Amino acid sequence: MLAAATLSVELIFGLMAVGVILGVLLSRWPRACGWACAAVVAGAAGAAAYLANIVFAQGHVEIIAGSITGVPAQLVLHFTPLNVIFLLMILGLGLVATVYSVQYVEKVAAESPGSSMAAVVRYYPALMLFLGSMAAVVSISDLLFFFIAWTLMMLPAFLLIIHDYRKREVMRAGLKFLLFSIVGNLGILLGIIILYRAGGDFSFATARDTMTAFLQVQPWTAHLVFGLLMFGFLTKLGIYPMGDWLPDAHPAAPSPVSALLSGVMIKLGAYDIAHMALELMGRANASSSAMMGWGMALAALGALSVLLGGAAAAANTDTKRLLAFSSVSQSGYILVCLGISMAFIPVSMQMAGLAFVAAMVFVIADGIHKSLLFLTAGSVLHATGTRDLMLLGGLGEKMPATTKAAIVGALSVGGIPLTAGFVGKWLLFQSALQGAAYQPAVAIWLLAIVVGSILSLAYALKYVGATYLGAPGVASSREDVREVPLSMRVPQLVLLLASVAAGLWPSLIVRPAISAWVTTAPVPISGMAGGALMVESVGGTTAGGYIPPVILLLVGVAALLAWGLSRLGGAPVREVRTWQSGLELPLATTRLPASGWYWPFTPVLRSIYREIPMPDVPALYPRPDGAFARGWRRFERTIAGLLP
């Protein structure tokens, strides 16, 4: 089994290296380059699935890949159900985004002011390196090599964000991401250095022993180390205010990259918070007051992000900025779950496990529906050339497949039953309700979750309503709009089906999350019965049950009943345009512009979230005739001359 696992790992990283090379060599042919890279990612995803099968069967696999002479560190790859979940998300969503990129990037390259080859060579090699570095982050346990992979991940992400570097706002967003990432990485580096100086090497086992000694002799040092690590990981997770780079980076990046940034990369912050909280503080036997204090503090930050991000999303009129603020809010839910889990480790492992499972389910669900929504926003941008909700509308008839995908994504992010998003929120409510019985302060986070859920449904409805329903803002500009190509529709369909499948069969995403917890603390959490998910209280009684087949049956019966009553009444049937409430009125008369959604509350919602401004340094931003632009054009011509 170890040999098979080793081969799988070699295939994953070997194929990603091949992808980088192919991205350069085939850059003259954008579509062929995209499909070649998609094939490479598909192979890596298949190898990851085979590796996951081994890991879930054995519990863990450890591979020692090598070391550096004279450096007290070993390249150790450690796989458990926890990091395998993230590995599958990285390569699975990476495959979806790469397939979506084929014709999306081809159009971007054709419209690029420079050569189309230059636009392609700036995209696919960076994308392959981005996916490979993220896979390394969740695979490496040695702290030194982990930090190298974590830092390496920042570089291709930066290059992808500034893909359209000629625009000042794009460079501004990229530099903001880079600045926040460097500051966060410094926190992680300082924490690792303190552990190394005390322990003598960079292995994770030594770090755990060092934290145990710190907690017994120098508790303040242990809390300093943990705080520094949390600061860096919270920055990547997108928690306010450390994650204020998100609302700028997502609109600047190409839409498939936005899907990966929100659906995968920021989730790595959640992985490392869970990993460090359980392995460094939990296994080091931190005091119950310390665990409760850190857990409640993390939950408080999460609740703040839920409210601030949701309010800013509801007030926004840019499709990708709206979804970016949504990412801030959804990351808050994940952190609330992790905070509650950490707080209750000394009190009740079953309670802690339920919150942990809720966090992992939320990670998977948000990865699916947020990637789906960003791809639909990319399809709208591809078809119309704008992200402005004030100019959009009426695309439901022009882009039916994208509209259906957007509706399912919006229902999931809003936490509507029979979608993946509901499973995550339902488990979060269960863990918060049970936690409030032990610690009344948890009720505050529960209230924030309720308000945040209302806000998430509000901005999801705004995105769908203002983009796809009603009349367009400029009618003449929508006459030539067409549905996006098949290669862009299929990834949306795959994510749509994944969200619905997880909502109908929650065990698809709950069972892996339970396996991730059981490898850390073998404590039963919930019972499974077919398509049902039953959550048990600490006392062993059933605290809540979610039975999708029953809900689906009730919805079907209600629909049939409504249809039957309409036919029994004998009333005449007439067809009218959607968004009309049955009235025969011109669409323009009844159009609700994006600014009209929640307009009495918009000034308040907009003022709640305070963005951190970037210093205005004109020399940092490229000018069409500046030295940076001239140098980059020379670099592009040089690369073009070297390629076949």
Side-chain angles (χ1 to χ4, degrees), residues 411-442:
L411 292 175
S412 184
V413 81
I416 301 301
L418 303 182
T419 63
F422 175 79
V423 180
K425 285 191 177 179
W426 185 80
L427 287 172
L428 172 55
F429 274 114
Q430 292 292 327
S431 60
L433 281 170
Q434 294 195 44
Y438 284 84
Q439 174 54 261
V442 177

PDB file of all heavy atoms in Angstrom, residues 411-442:
ATOM      1  N   LEU A 411     -29.086  29.379  -4.169  1.00  0.00           N
ATOM      2  CA  LEU A 411     -29.856  28.644  -3.162  1.00  0.00           C
ATOM      3  C   LEU A 411     -28.929  27.973  -2.156  1.00  0.00           C
ATOM      4  O   LEU A 411     -29.210  27.937  -0.949  1.00  0.00           O
ATOM      5  CB  LEU A 411     -30.742  27.597  -3.843  1.00  0.00           C
ATOM      6  CG  LEU A 411     -31.889  28.124  -4.707  1.00  0.00           C
ATOM      7  CD1 LEU A 411     -32.601  26.976  -5.401  1.00  0.00           C
ATOM      8  CD2 LEU A 411     -32.880  28.929  -3.873  1.00  0.00           C
ATOM      9  N   SER A 412     -27.805  27.440  -2.651  1.00  0.00           N
ATOM     10  CA  SER A 412     -26.865  26.764  -1.756  1.00  0.00           C
ATOM     11  C   SER A 412     -26.174  27.748  -0.828  1.00  0.00           C
ATOM     12  O   SER A 412     -26.055  27.504   0.381  1.00  0.00           O
ATOM     13  CB  SER A 412     -25.832  25.995  -2.581  1.00  0.00           C
ATOM     14  OG  SER A 412     -24.971  25.253  -1.744  1.00  0.00           O
ATOM     15  N   VAL A 413     -25.704  28.884  -1.363  1.00  0.00           N
ATOM     16  CA  VAL A 413     -25.031  29.858  -0.507  1.00  0.00           C
ATOM     17  C   VAL A 413     -26.021  30.465   0.488  1.00  0.00           C
ATOM     18  O   VAL A 413     -25.634  30.894   1.589  1.00  0.00           O
ATOM     19  CB  VAL A 413     -24.355  30.956  -1.357  1.00  0.00           C
ATOM     20  CG1 VAL A 413     -25.326  32.021  -1.806  1.00  0.00           C
ATOM     21  CG2 VAL A 413     -23.200  31.598  -0.610  1.00  0.00           C
ATOM     22  N   GLY A 414     -27.310  30.489   0.121  1.00  0.00           N
ATOM     23  CA  GLY A 414     -28.331  30.973   1.042  1.00  0.00           C
ATOM     24  C   GLY A 414     -28.766  29.940   2.057  1.00  0.00           C
ATOM     25  O   GLY A 414     -29.564  30.246   2.961  1.00  0.00           O
ATOM     26  N   GLY A 415     -28.295  28.697   1.921  1.00  0.00           N
ATOM     27  CA  GLY A 415     -28.610  27.655   2.900  1.00  0.00           C
ATOM     28  C   GLY A 415     -29.999  27.070   2.747  1.00  0.00           C
ATOM     29  O   GLY A 415     -30.638  26.686   3.731  1.00  0.00           O
ATOM     30  N   ILE A 416     -30.488  26.960   1.511  1.00  0.00           N
ATOM     31  CA  ILE A 416     -31.811  26.406   1.268  1.00  0.00           C
ATOM     32  C   ILE A 416     -31.726  24.883   1.261  1.00  0.00           C
ATOM     33  O   ILE A 416     -30.792  24.312   0.687  1.00  0.00           O
ATOM     34  CB  ILE A 416     -32.380  26.920  -0.076  1.00  0.00           C
ATOM     35  CG1 ILE A 416     -32.452  28.450  -0.049  1.00  0.00           C
ATOM     36  CG2 ILE A 416     -33.755  26.326  -0.358  1.00  0.00           C
ATOM     37  CD1 ILE A 416     -33.313  29.029   1.048  1.00  0.00           C
ATOM     38  N   PRO A 417     -32.687  24.164   1.884  1.00  0.00           N
ATOM     39  CA  PRO A 417     -32.649  22.696   1.920  1.00  0.00           C
ATOM     40  C   PRO A 417     -32.541  22.072   0.535  1.00  0.00           C
ATOM     41  O   PRO A 417     -32.951  22.652  -0.466  1.00  0.00           O
ATOM     42  CB  PRO A 417     -33.972  22.331   2.595  1.00  0.00           C
ATOM     43  CG  PRO A 417     -34.286  23.510   3.466  1.00  0.00           C
ATOM     44  CD  PRO A 417     -33.799  24.707   2.695  1.00  0.00           C
ATOM     45  N   LEU A 418     -31.981  20.867   0.519  1.00  0.00           N
ATOM     46  CA  LEU A 418     -31.713  20.072  -0.672  1.00  0.00           C
ATOM     47  C   LEU A 418     -30.524  20.603  -1.473  1.00  0.00           C
ATOM     48  O   LEU A 418     -30.349  20.260  -2.639  1.00  0.00           O
ATOM     49  CB  LEU A 418     -32.952  19.962  -1.575  1.00  0.00           C
ATOM     50  CG  LEU A 418     -34.209  19.387  -0.908  1.00  0.00           C
ATOM     51  CD1 LEU A 418     -35.351  19.295  -1.918  1.00  0.00           C
ATOM     52  CD2 LEU A 418     -33.925  18.027  -0.297  1.00  0.00           C
ATOM     53  N   THR A 419     -29.700  21.436  -0.847  1.00  0.00           N
ATOM     54  CA  THR A 419     -28.440  21.873  -1.434  1.00  0.00           C
ATOM     55  C   THR A 419     -27.316  21.613  -0.434  1.00  0.00           C
ATOM     56  O   THR A 419     -27.563  21.432   0.766  1.00  0.00           O
ATOM     57  CB  THR A 419     -28.462  23.367  -1.794  1.00  0.00           C
ATOM     58  OG1 THR A 419     -28.627  24.144  -0.590  1.00  0.00           O
ATOM     59  CG2 THR A 419     -29.583  23.692  -2.765  1.00  0.00           C
ATOM     60  N   ALA A 420     -26.081  21.629  -0.930  1.00  0.00           N
ATOM     61  CA  ALA A 420     -24.920  21.381  -0.061  1.00  0.00           C
ATOM     62  C   ALA A 420     -24.811  22.436   1.026  1.00  0.00           C
ATOM     63  O   ALA A 420     -24.427  22.139   2.166  1.00  0.00           O
ATOM     64  CB  ALA A 420     -23.644  21.344  -0.896  1.00  0.00           C
ATOM     65  N   GLY A 421     -25.130  23.690   0.691  1.00  0.00           N
ATOM     66  CA  GLY A 421     -25.014  24.767   1.671  1.00  0.00           C
ATOM     67  C   GLY A 421     -25.888  24.561   2.890  1.00  0.00           C
ATOM     68  O   GLY A 421     -25.510  24.937   4.004  1.00  0.00           O
ATOM     69  N   PHE A 422     -27.062  23.961   2.688  1.00  0.00           N
ATOM     70  CA  PHE A 422     -27.946  23.725   3.836  1.00  0.00           C
ATOM     71  C   PHE A 422     -27.332  22.731   4.805  1.00  0.00           C
ATOM     72  O   PHE A 422     -27.467  22.895   6.026  1.00  0.00           O
ATOM     73  CB  PHE A 422     -29.312  23.208   3.370  1.00  0.00           C
ATOM     74  CG  PHE A 422     -30.217  22.845   4.514  1.00  0.00           C
ATOM     75  CD1 PHE A 422     -30.903  23.826   5.209  1.00  0.00           C
ATOM     76  CD2 PHE A 422     -30.354  21.526   4.911  1.00  0.00           C
ATOM     77  CE1 PHE A 422     -31.716  23.497   6.283  1.00  0.00           C
ATOM     78  CE2 PHE A 422     -31.167  21.186   5.983  1.00  0.00           C
ATOM     79  CZ  PHE A 422     -31.858  22.172   6.668  1.00  0.00           C
ATOM     80  N   VAL A 423     -26.681  21.696   4.306  1.00  0.00           N
ATOM     81  CA  VAL A 423     -26.086  20.678   5.186  1.00  0.00           C
ATOM     82  C   VAL A 423     -25.075  21.326   6.125  1.00  0.00           C
ATOM     83  O   VAL A 423     -25.067  21.069   7.337  1.00  0.00           O
ATOM     84  CB  VAL A 423     -25.428  19.561   4.355  1.00  0.00           C
ATOM     85  CG1 VAL A 423     -24.809  18.505   5.274  1.00  0.00           C
ATOM     86  CG2 VAL A 423     -26.437  18.919   3.424  1.00  0.00           C
ATOM     87  N   GLY A 424     -24.211  22.211   5.572  1.00  0.00           N
ATOM     88  CA  GLY A 424     -23.222  22.885   6.409  1.00  0.00           C
ATOM     89  C   GLY A 424     -23.871  23.776   7.453  1.00  0.00           C
ATOM     90  O   GLY A 424     -23.498  23.752   8.634  1.00  0.00           O
ATOM     91  N   LYS A 425     -24.856  24.584   7.041  1.00  0.00           N
ATOM     92  CA  LYS A 425     -25.493  25.487   7.999  1.00  0.00           C
ATOM     93  C   LYS A 425     -26.313  24.721   9.028  1.00  0.00           C
ATOM     94  O   LYS A 425     -26.378  25.111  10.196  1.00  0.00           O
ATOM     95  CB  LYS A 425     -26.375  26.494   7.257  1.00  0.00           C
ATOM     96  CG  LYS A 425     -25.571  27.584   6.561  1.00  0.00           C
ATOM     97  CD  LYS A 425     -26.440  28.721   6.069  1.00  0.00           C
ATOM     98  CE  LYS A 425     -25.574  29.814   5.440  1.00  0.00           C
ATOM     99  NZ  LYS A 425     -26.388  30.933   4.922  1.00  0.00           N
ATOM    100  N   TRP A 426     -26.922  23.638   8.611  1.00  0.00           N
ATOM    101  CA  TRP A 426     -27.713  22.845   9.552  1.00  0.00           C
ATOM    102  C   TRP A 426     -26.823  22.263  10.650  1.00  0.00           C
ATOM    103  O   TRP A 426     -27.171  22.304  11.838  1.00  0.00           O
ATOM    104  CB  TRP A 426     -28.431  21.740   8.785  1.00  0.00           C
ATOM    105  CG  TRP A 426     -29.362  20.921   9.620  1.00  0.00           C
ATOM    106  CD1 TRP A 426     -30.634  21.235  10.012  1.00  0.00           C
ATOM    107  CD2 TRP A 426     -29.091  19.632  10.160  1.00  0.00           C
ATOM    108  NE1 TRP A 426     -31.160  20.219  10.765  1.00  0.00           N
ATOM    109  CE2 TRP A 426     -30.234  19.219  10.875  1.00  0.00           C
ATOM    110  CE3 TRP A 426     -27.985  18.786  10.112  1.00  0.00           C
ATOM    111  CZ2 TRP A 426     -30.302  18.001  11.521  1.00  0.00           C
ATOM    112  CZ3 TRP A 426     -28.056  17.574  10.766  1.00  0.00           C
ATOM    113  CH2 TRP A 426     -29.204  17.185  11.460  1.00  0.00           C
ATOM    114  N   LEU A 427     -25.671  21.728  10.269  1.00  0.00           N
ATOM    115  CA  LEU A 427     -24.746  21.198  11.270  1.00  0.00           C
ATOM    116  C   LEU A 427     -24.185  22.312  12.149  1.00  0.00           C
ATOM    117  O   LEU A 427     -23.968  22.121  13.355  1.00  0.00           O
ATOM    118  CB  LEU A 427     -23.607  20.449  10.580  1.00  0.00           C
ATOM    119  CG  LEU A 427     -23.961  19.091   9.974  1.00  0.00           C
ATOM    120  CD1 LEU A 427     -22.797  18.556   9.150  1.00  0.00           C
ATOM    121  CD2 LEU A 427     -24.357  18.097  11.053  1.00  0.00           C
ATOM    122  N   LEU A 428     -23.944  23.488  11.553  1.00  0.00           N
ATOM    123  CA  LEU A 428     -23.460  24.618  12.344  1.00  0.00           C
ATOM    124  C   LEU A 428     -24.495  25.038  13.379  1.00  0.00           C
ATOM    125  O   LEU A 428     -24.160  25.281  14.551  1.00  0.00           O
ATOM    126  CB  LEU A 428     -23.117  25.793  11.427  1.00  0.00           C
ATOM    127  CG  LEU A 428     -22.765  27.132  12.100  1.00  0.00           C
ATOM    128  CD1 LEU A 428     -21.623  26.958  13.090  1.00  0.00           C
ATOM    129  CD2 LEU A 428     -22.402  28.172  11.049  1.00  0.00           C
ATOM    130  N   PHE A 429     -25.762  25.109  12.986  1.00  0.00           N
ATOM    131  CA  PHE A 429     -26.821  25.445  13.938  1.00  0.00           C
ATOM    132  C   PHE A 429     -26.891  24.404  15.059  1.00  0.00           C
ATOM    133  O   PHE A 429     -27.067  24.747  16.237  1.00  0.00           O
ATOM    134  CB  PHE A 429     -28.178  25.523  13.219  1.00  0.00           C
ATOM    135  CG  PHE A 429     -28.461  26.859  12.610  1.00  0.00           C
ATOM    136  CD1 PHE A 429     -28.551  27.002  11.235  1.00  0.00           C
ATOM    137  CD2 PHE A 429     -28.631  27.982  13.400  1.00  0.00           C
ATOM    138  CE1 PHE A 429     -28.804  28.235  10.654  1.00  0.00           C
ATOM    139  CE2 PHE A 429     -28.887  29.222  12.833  1.00  0.00           C
ATOM    140  CZ  PHE A 429     -28.976  29.348  11.454  1.00  0.00           C
ATOM    141  N   GLN A 430     -26.756  23.126  14.693  1.00  0.00           N
ATOM    142  CA  GLN A 430     -26.809  22.075  15.710  1.00  0.00           C
ATOM    143  C   GLN A 430     -25.675  22.228  16.719  1.00  0.00           C
ATOM    144  O   GLN A 430     -25.880  22.126  17.931  1.00  0.00           O
ATOM    145  CB  GLN A 430     -26.735  20.704  15.033  1.00  0.00           C
ATOM    146  CG  GLN A 430     -27.948  20.338  14.211  1.00  0.00           C
ATOM    147  CD  GLN A 430     -29.181  20.108  15.060  1.00  0.00           C
ATOM    148  OE1 GLN A 430     -29.085  19.639  16.187  1.00  0.00           O
ATOM    149  NE2 GLN A 430     -30.333  20.447  14.524  1.00  0.00           N
ATOM    150  N   SER A 431     -24.456  22.470  16.216  1.00  0.00           N
ATOM    151  CA  SER A 431     -23.315  22.592  17.129  1.00  0.00           C
ATOM    152  C   SER A 431     -23.437  23.852  17.992  1.00  0.00           C
ATOM    153  O   SER A 431     -23.110  23.833  19.186  1.00  0.00           O
ATOM    154  CB  SER A 431     -22.005  22.613  16.336  1.00  0.00           C
ATOM    155  OG  SER A 431     -21.972  23.709  15.444  1.00  0.00           O
ATOM    156  N   ALA A 432     -23.931  24.961  17.410  1.00  0.00           N
ATOM    157  CA  ALA A 432     -24.074  26.192  18.182  1.00  0.00           C
ATOM    158  C   ALA A 432     -25.175  26.068  19.225  1.00  0.00           C
ATOM    159  O   ALA A 432     -25.035  26.550  20.363  1.00  0.00           O
ATOM    160  CB  ALA A 432     -24.368  27.367  17.246  1.00  0.00           C
ATOM    161  N   LEU A 433     -26.273  25.423  18.864  1.00  0.00           N
ATOM    162  CA  LEU A 433     -27.370  25.242  19.821  1.00  0.00           C
ATOM    163  C   LEU A 433     -26.929  24.397  21.007  1.00  0.00           C
ATOM    164  O   LEU A 433     -27.204  24.737  22.167  1.00  0.00           O
ATOM    165  CB  LEU A 433     -28.568  24.597  19.123  1.00  0.00           C
ATOM    166  CG  LEU A 433     -29.444  25.509  18.263  1.00  0.00           C
ATOM    167  CD1 LEU A 433     -30.431  24.681  17.462  1.00  0.00           C
ATOM    168  CD2 LEU A 433     -30.183  26.520  19.141  1.00  0.00           C
ATOM    169  N   GLN A 434     -26.244  23.283  20.725  1.00  0.00           N
ATOM    170  CA  GLN A 434     -25.778  22.433  21.820  1.00  0.00           C
ATOM    171  C   GLN A 434     -24.674  23.120  22.619  1.00  0.00           C
ATOM    172  O   GLN A 434     -24.593  22.972  23.840  1.00  0.00           O
ATOM    173  CB  GLN A 434     -25.292  21.094  21.273  1.00  0.00           C
ATOM    174  CG  GLN A 434     -26.400  20.252  20.659  1.00  0.00           C
ATOM    175  CD  GLN A 434     -25.977  18.818  20.450  1.00  0.00           C
ATOM    176  OE1 GLN A 434     -25.353  18.211  21.325  1.00  0.00           O
ATOM    177  NE2 GLN A 434     -26.316  18.259  19.296  1.00  0.00           N
ATOM    178  N   GLY A 435     -23.829  23.897  21.933  1.00  0.00           N
ATOM    179  CA  GLY A 435     -22.774  24.618  22.640  1.00  0.00           C
ATOM    180  C   GLY A 435     -23.319  25.675  23.571  1.00  0.00           C
ATOM    181  O   GLY A 435     -22.763  25.919  24.652  1.00  0.00           O
ATOM    182  N   ALA A 436     -24.412  26.323  23.176  1.00  0.00           N
ATOM    183  CA  ALA A 436     -25.007  27.366  24.013  1.00  0.00           C
ATOM    184  C   ALA A 436     -25.517  26.802  25.335  1.00  0.00           C
ATOM    185  O   ALA A 436     -25.585  27.522  26.341  1.00  0.00           O
ATOM    186  CB  ALA A 436     -26.141  28.058  23.265  1.00  0.00           C
ATOM    187  N   ALA A 437     -25.864  25.508  25.357  1.00  0.00           N
ATOM    188  CA  ALA A 437     -26.321  24.897  26.603  1.00  0.00           C
ATOM    189  C   ALA A 437     -25.184  24.772  27.613  1.00  0.00           C
ATOM    190  O   ALA A 437     -25.421  24.782  28.823  1.00  0.00           O
ATOM    191  CB  ALA A 437     -26.911  23.519  26.306  1.00  0.00           C
ATOM    192  N   TYR A 438     -23.937  24.683  27.121  1.00  0.00           N
ATOM    193  CA  TYR A 438     -22.781  24.588  28.003  1.00  0.00           C
ATOM    194  C   TYR A 438     -22.146  25.949  28.263  1.00  0.00           C
ATOM    195  O   TYR A 438     -21.685  26.221  29.366  1.00  0.00           O
ATOM    196  CB  TYR A 438     -21.729  23.654  27.370  1.00  0.00           C
ATOM    197  CG  TYR A 438     -22.071  22.199  27.464  1.00  0.00           C
ATOM    198  CD1 TYR A 438     -22.912  21.604  26.525  1.00  0.00           C
ATOM    199  CD2 TYR A 438     -21.568  21.403  28.481  1.00  0.00           C
ATOM    200  CE1 TYR A 438     -23.231  20.261  26.603  1.00  0.00           C
ATOM    201  CE2 TYR A 438     -21.879  20.059  28.569  1.00  0.00           C
ATOM    202  CZ  TYR A 438     -22.720  19.501  27.628  1.00  0.00           C
ATOM    203  OH  TYR A 438     -23.037  18.172  27.712  1.00  0.00           O
ATOM    204  N   GLN A 439     -22.114  26.781  27.254  1.00  0.00           N
ATOM    205  CA  GLN A 439     -21.484  28.083  27.366  1.00  0.00           C
ATOM    206  C   GLN A 439     -22.434  29.117  26.755  1.00  0.00           C
ATOM    207  O   GLN A 439     -22.551  29.235  25.537  1.00  0.00           O
ATOM    208  CB  GLN A 439     -20.141  28.082  26.628  1.00  0.00           C
ATOM    209  CG  GLN A 439     -19.449  29.432  26.537  1.00  0.00           C
ATOM    210  CD  GLN A 439     -19.245  30.108  27.875  1.00  0.00           C
ATOM    211  OE1 GLN A 439     -20.024  30.986  28.245  1.00  0.00           O
ATOM    212  NE2 GLN A 439     -18.228  29.686  28.602  1.00  0.00           N
ATOM    213  N   PRO A 440     -23.151  29.894  27.607  1.00  0.00           N
ATOM    214  CA  PRO A 440     -24.166  30.835  27.098  1.00  0.00           C
ATOM    215  C   PRO A 440     -23.628  31.840  26.081  1.00  0.00           C
ATOM    216  O   PRO A 440     -24.380  32.325  25.240  1.00  0.00           O
ATOM    217  CB  PRO A 440     -24.647  31.545  28.371  1.00  0.00           C
ATOM    218  CG  PRO A 440     -24.374  30.575  29.471  1.00  0.00           C
ATOM    219  CD  PRO A 440     -23.123  29.862  29.079  1.00  0.00           C
ATOM    220  N   ALA A 441     -22.318  32.142  26.132  1.00  0.00           N
ATOM    221  CA  ALA A 441     -21.766  33.116  25.186  1.00  0.00           C
ATOM    222  C   ALA A 441     -21.890  32.641  23.745  1.00  0.00           C
ATOM    223  O   ALA A 441     -21.913  33.455  22.809  1.00  0.00           O
ATOM    224  CB  ALA A 441     -20.300  33.395  25.522  1.00  0.00           C
ATOM    225  N   VAL A 442     -21.986  31.311  23.551  1.00  0.00           N
ATOM    226  CA  VAL A 442     -22.137  30.780  22.201  1.00  0.00           C
ATOM    227  C   VAL A 442     -23.440  31.260  21.574  1.00  0.00           C
ATOM    228  O   VAL A 442     -23.556  31.345  20.344  1.00  0.00           O
ATOM    229  CB  VAL A 442     -22.057  29.241  22.220  1.00  0.00           C
ATOM    230  CG1 VAL A 442     -22.294  28.652  20.836  1.00  0.00           C
ATOM    231  CG2 VAL A 442     -20.696  28.789  22.738  1.00  0.00           C
TER     232      VAL A 442
END
